[in-house]
């Protein structure tokens, strides 16, 4: 026997039971986001590698070790996008929209990161992302979070809590960074290798280390929220007041840092205890400096992304039942009529499988296996009278009736 090929590790197939959840997530996203006047964009999966180096940041895990980047046949450095925000900013600039007023966008699609595959951590995964450009105040952050909360609520995802933090800005972060580096250097020997690597490059990421020994050293680490400047403080207070007004519950978690460099001020995560270490289902924040650093004018912006596979894991299994009726045809003469019956039912939007004619036993077995709600049996008698023998497989009820009557009973 030929060897079976497997998919790449950490890249999995969306089979019907999971795709039905993804579709629900997409439908709810479209419906909820539309009430905030957010429009869908569809952006490329391949982008120039440089885009992520300049935005996400060279010292981040994503750029330093997780990108699927390569030189193509023409010698261009391209990569499979690891996230959506950078591409959205590029598109916004490329389309010349910086003077067009606020832009509110969302997208959904695959992202690629060469991470260590585990539950909830894939190498190809899907994100639903939202990016708002040209929205300055904390009201926008609060409204975005209320929208995210409603999105999760409408999906029936419970037991998710919102945590928020302030990451400061270019005015207050450098001084805080120095304070933090001094604190970490004093404990460097007790911190893991990864943390040691990060002390100079990305010290705030050390706060995020999952290692218990490191966390024990970080108990008294200085926190950004306690070192923010007046403007950042006002922004954070405004956000909290907005969330209160909108009845969105939150906790301040001074340890939230984002794995990407471009965030400032507001950072947030919706987290759950139900997915082990991969507990963040939706995360984002403000990134006021990114548009400028990619060559545009100073532009305020805020956004988030949610991992669809993680959301799907929190959703109850859905009814993936797809067959309404199996049409069973008895005898060769009735076959053309039975095909017409199937066709007419389908024209009414009913999901039909034709059992293919032939031996009755095989056809009934097929109906059983398809999990159909009804079987429509047609033989010579039914054909002559333009009727069907219609059986409800759940109740066992059976009647011989016209196709219209059968359709009526399907609808109730
Ligand atoms: P984590 O801390 O879990 O690594 P992150 O900070 O890297 O997440 P973001 O880049 O902010 O995550 O992505 C937003 C969301 O996308 C995450 O909250 C998560 O739901 C999802 N996500 C990120 N990476 C993966 C992955 N490798 N597999 C599946 N989902 C992912
Ligand atoms: Mg990550």
């Amino acid at each position: 026997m030929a060897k079976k090929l497997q998919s790449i590790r950490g890249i999995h197939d969306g089979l019907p039971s999971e795709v039905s959840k993804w579709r629900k997530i997409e439908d709810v996203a479209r419906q909820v986001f539309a009430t905030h006047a957010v429009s869908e964009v569809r952006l490329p999966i391949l982008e120039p590698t440089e885009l992520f180096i300049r935005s996400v940041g060279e010292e981040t895990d994503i750029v330093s070790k997780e990108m699927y980047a390569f030189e193509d046949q023409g010698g261009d450095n391209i990569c499979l996008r690891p996230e959506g925000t950078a591409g959205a900013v590029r598109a916004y600039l490329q389309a010349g929209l910086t003077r067009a007023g606020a832009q509110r966008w969302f997208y959904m699609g695959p992202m690629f990161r060469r991470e260590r595959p585990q539950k909830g951590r894939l190498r190809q995964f899907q994100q639903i992302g939202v990016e708002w450009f040209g929205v300055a105040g904390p009201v926008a952050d609060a409204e975005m979070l209320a929208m995210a909360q409603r999105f999760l609520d409408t999906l029936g995802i419970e037991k998710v809590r919102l945590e928020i933090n302030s990451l400061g800005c270019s005015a207050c972060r450098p001084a805080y960074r120095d304070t933090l580096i001094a604190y970490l250097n004093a404990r460097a020997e007790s911190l893991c290798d990864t943390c040691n690597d990060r002390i100079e490059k990305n010290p705030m990421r050390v706060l995020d280390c999952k290692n218990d020994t490191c966390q024990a050293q970080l108990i008294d680490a200085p926190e950004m929220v306690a070192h923010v400047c007046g403007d950042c403080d006002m922004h954070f207070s405004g956000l909290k007041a907005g969330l209160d007004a909108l009845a969105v519950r939150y906790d301040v978690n001074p340890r939230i840092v984002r794995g990407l460099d471009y965030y400032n001020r507001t950072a947030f995560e919706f987290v759950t205890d139900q997915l082990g270490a991969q507990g963040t289902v939706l995360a984002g924040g403000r990134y006021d400096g990114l548009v400028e650093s990619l060559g545009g004018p100073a532009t305020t912006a805020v956004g988030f992304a949610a991992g669809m596979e993680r959301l799907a894991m929190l959703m109850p299994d859905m009814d993936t039942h797809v067959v309404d009726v199996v049409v069973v045809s008895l005898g060769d003469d009735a076959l053309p009529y039975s095909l017409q019956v199937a066709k007419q039912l389908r024209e009414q939007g009913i999901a039909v499988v034709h059992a293919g004619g032939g031996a009755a036993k095989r056809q009934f077995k097929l109906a059983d296996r398809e999990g159909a709600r009804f079987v429509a049996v047609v033989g010579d008698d039914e054909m002559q009278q333009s009727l069907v023998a219609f059986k409800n497989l759940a109740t066992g009820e059976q009647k011989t009736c016209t196709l219209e009557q059968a359709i009526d009973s399907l609808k109730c």
Side-chain angles (χ1 to χ4, degrees), residues 6-14 22 68 80 110-115 117-118 121-125 309:
Q6 303 282 323
S7 69
I8 295 165
R9 231 160 68 82
I11 299 191
H12 85 290
D13 303 309
W22 295 348
Y68 284 97
L80 293 165
M111 306 293 162
F112 304 83
R113 298 183 194 175
R114 197 175 186 290
E115 306 207 58
Q118 51 198 294
R121 193 171 292 287
L122 300 160
R123 289 179 167 176
Q124 174 175 342
F125 58 99
E309 289 80 2

Side-chain angles (χ1 to χ4, degrees), residues 155-384:
L155 283 174
I157 294 178
E158 295 165 349
K159 296 187 190 148
V160 176
R161 47 178 204 283
L162 168 61
E163 299 186 340
I164 60 170
N165 191 18
S166 176
L167 301 178
C169 66
S170 53
C172 51
R173 196 151 45 182
Y176 164 73
R177 197 173 181 274
D178 292 344
T179 316
L180 180 61
I181 290 177
Y183 177 94
L184 297 174
N185 273 330
R187 288 155 186 83
E189 280 182 13
S190 316
L191 297 171
C192 70
D193 290 349
T194 316
C195 285
N196 269 286
D197 264 1
R198 285 175 172 163
I199 293 180
E200 295 294 334
K201 293 179 186 161
N202 201 343
M204 287 170 84
R205 282 306 303 278
V206 175
L207 300 177
D208 199 28
C209 183
K210 303 276 186 289
N211 189 322
D212 289 342
T213 342
C214 294
Q215 279 304 326
Q217 293 298 316
L218 297 170
I219 289 176
D220 302 317
E223 291 170 343
M224 186 70 236
V225 264
H227 291 77
V228 289
C229 61
D231 285 348
C232 285
D233 194 36
M234 250 167 55
H235 191 95
F236 201 44
S237 306
L239 165 62
K240 290 187 277 190
L243 292 175
D244 291 340
L246 289 160
V248 177
R249 296 179 56 180
Y250 62 88
D251 293 309
V252 175
N253 177 353
R255 292 300 170 84
I256 292 182
V257 297
R258 307 287 308 117
L260 304 81
D261 276 355
Y262 49 64
Y263 288 107
N264 69 307
R265 293 198 172 151
T266 310
F268 54 81
E269 294 187 350
F270 282 87
V271 292
T272 174
D273 298 326
Q274 294 172 69
L275 298 178
Q278 276 55 253
T280 308
V281 292
L282 184 156
R286 188 160 270 285
Y287 52 95
D288 294 332
L290 184 56
V291 174
E292 200 173 1
S293 74
L294 289 177
T299 305
T300 53
V302 58
F304 69 75
M308 293 220 323
E309 289 80 2
R310 290 192 197 172
L311 292 173
M313 284 194 279
L314 297 173
M315 289 165 63
D317 281 340
M318 288 177 46
D319 184 7
T320 50
H321 169 105
V322 287
V323 184
D324 296 316
V325 181
V326 168
V327 175
V328 169
S329 168
L330 301 179
D332 291 346
D333 292 347
L335 189 63
Y337 173 65
S338 71
L339 286 168
Q340 285 161 22
V341 166
K343 185 177 169 197
Q344 285 171 37
L345 288 169
R346 289 182 181 126
E347 282 166 0
Q348 296 301 313
I350 294 160
V352 181
V353 170
H354 189 287
K361 196 171 159 200
R362 189 199 60 80
Q363 294 189 69
F364 282 109
K365 212 164 148 188
L366 182 142
D368 217 39
R369 195 170 306 148
E370 290 285 354
R373 289 164 60 210
F374 292 87
V375 272
V377 185
V378 291
D380 290 346
D381 288 353
E382 285 81 10
M383 179 176 69
Q384 269 144 29

